[in-house]
Amino acid sequence: MTDVIDGKKVAEEVVATVKDGAARLIAETGVTPGIAVVIVGHDPASQVYVNSKSRKAKECGFHSAQHELPDDTAEADLLALIEQLNADPAIHGILVQLPLPRQIDSARVIQAISPEKDVDGFHFVNVGKLGTGEIASAFVPCTPAGSMLLVERVRGRDLSGLTAVVVGRSNIVGKPMANLLLAANCTVTIAHSRTKDLPALCRTADILVAAVGRPEIVKGDWVKPGATVIDVGINRIDAPERGEGKTRLVGDVAFDEAASQAGAITPVPGGVGPMTIAMLMANTLVAACRTAGVEPPRF
Ligand code: GUN
């Protein structure tokens, strides 16, 4: 039987550990984990993400500050806010929701966040730590960190001898995911749009991670029998079978076909998605624990 990995349940377990850790940190040191979530402009999808991040932070017992800036915010004003948050002892994690409006250089903004508060794990210091295997002191980007927890639920923490293929080479998911799998002793290949014979490469994977943002591109016959399939994609597609104008969410993997081959697979929705916010909470707790000199819980 194929194991359909319940990301919602694992995310709830992570959040329960965060709540417990936050309560203990507050009781022992008086330090309340604090997160600042910054959004520039009125992109509706970003607004939904940011609101749910702030809500989850409150649920975890954190101090949560949401900063909503207008579409035409100047880069200098955003940088000034980041400087202020970097210096604020009540804030342990800073998240600037991407994408940013065109007049703002995202790379410059990301690098302005203090690496110790970079709970997204996008700063060069954290990217470098992950790349050199200094994972214990790094912040790892939330989506690959959550995807890795799901892999570990199926395969354990040591993935020695396993072959992994990551389809997608983004800085947010593909590259950090490949580094995490490498650190866990997998033999890793990163595939992308220029890769030759992608189906054949994917068929070599004991662990197959799809993070390309193309609906259902990974077919059933791309999946090695018994493989662990992690679908990071969230794509909204038309669903005329549900009625006129209706849509539905699908991943980057053709789920039914792939599930018939896989040993374990994440669904969309309900797989990787819920893990992202849970890992943001985990990273924020870790940031607060490091500041207070307290050993953080292990996730
Ligand atoms: N936009 C889409 N995903 C992310 C993310 O993981 N972090 C931030 N800051 N913005 C995003």
Side-chain angles (χ1 to χ4, degrees):
M1 263 298 279
T2 308
D3 172 12
V4 178
I5 303 166
D6 187 346
K8 211 166 152 234
K9 180 161 162 271
V10 179
E12 279 166 10
E13 289 167 17
V14 169
V15 168
T17 304
V18 171
K19 282 182 189 171
D20 184 54
R24 267 204 273 164
L25 182 68
I26 294 165
E28 286 171 16
T29 68
V31 173
T32 301
I35 183 167
V37 179
V38 181
I39 180 168
V40 185
H42 292 93
D43 175 58
S46 290
Q47 202 87 45
V48 169
Y49 287 135
V50 160
N51 289 341
S52 54
K53 285 168 185 175
S54 294
R55 201 174 333 113
K56 188 64 78 180
K58 288 198 183 108
E59 186 190 322
C60 288
F62 294 179
H63 161 61
S64 163
Q66 191 162 317
H67 297 263
E68 300 189 20
L69 306 181
D71 277 301
D72 60 354
T73 299
E75 184 181 289
D77 292 336
L78 180 55
L79 291 171
L81 172 62
I82 289 170
E83 205 172 307
Q84 182 194 318
L85 295 169
N86 281 340
D88 185 343
I91 296 298
H92 305 97
I94 301 170
L95 182 133
V96 179
Q97 186 67 24
L98 303 176
L100 289 167
R102 227 174 295 159
Q103 74 276 14
I104 297 176
D105 180 350
S106 303
R108 184 176 291 169
V109 170
I110 289 165
Q111 301 313 321
I113 297 170
S114 162
E116 291 77 31
K117 298 191 178 188
D118 170 38
V119 284
D120 255 331
F122 296 163
H123 192 285
F124 292 152
V125 166
N126 289 310
V127 175
K129 283 184 176 182
L130 175 56
T132 51
E134 299 267 332
I135 296 174
S137 73
F139 287 111
V140 176
C142 301
T143 299
S147 300
M148 201 61 196
L149 273 194
L150 297 181
V151 171
E152 287 171 3
R153 290 297 172 114
V154 179
R155 299 276 189 171
R157 282 190 190 260
D158 185 359
L159 307 177
S160 293
L162 298 178
T163 295
V165 173
V166 179
V167 188
R169 54 176 157 179
S170 71
N171 292 329
I172 293 183
V173 182
K175 286 179 201 162
M177 188 72 204
N179 270 324
L180 286 170
L181 290 162
L182 189 59
N185 302 321
C186 277
T187 302
V188 186
T189 306
I190 303 179
H192 47 78
S193 56
R194 307 289 176 88
T195 297
K196 229 168 97 179
D197 202 351
L198 184 57
L201 177 65
C202 289
R203 273 192 292 275
T204 67
D206 300 304
I207 298 168
L208 179 59
V209 180
V212 273
R214 297 258 219 101
E216 300 180 320
I217 187 179
V218 176
K219 308 299 180 198
D221 65 358
W222 298 24
V223 177
K224 179 177 177 178
T228 302
V229 178
I230 304 293
D231 189 351
V232 182
I234 302 177
N235 310 286
R236 189 165 286 286
I237 61 166
D238 291 337
E241 72 280 5
R242 292 187 178 182
E244 204 186 309
K246 297 281 190 204
T247 62
R248 66 190 171 98
L249 288 180
V250 297
D252 291 350
V253 177
F255 182 84
D256 291 342
E257 293 176 18
S260 73
Q261 296 296 309
I265 184 167
T266 60
V268 176
V272 172
M275 294 300 293
T276 299
I277 292 185
M279 297 317 292
L280 177 66
M281 300 303 120
N283 279 352
T284 305
L285 175 64
V286 168
C289 286
R290 285 179 188 161
T291 309
V294 169
E295 185 69 26
R298 185 147 189 227
F299 291 97

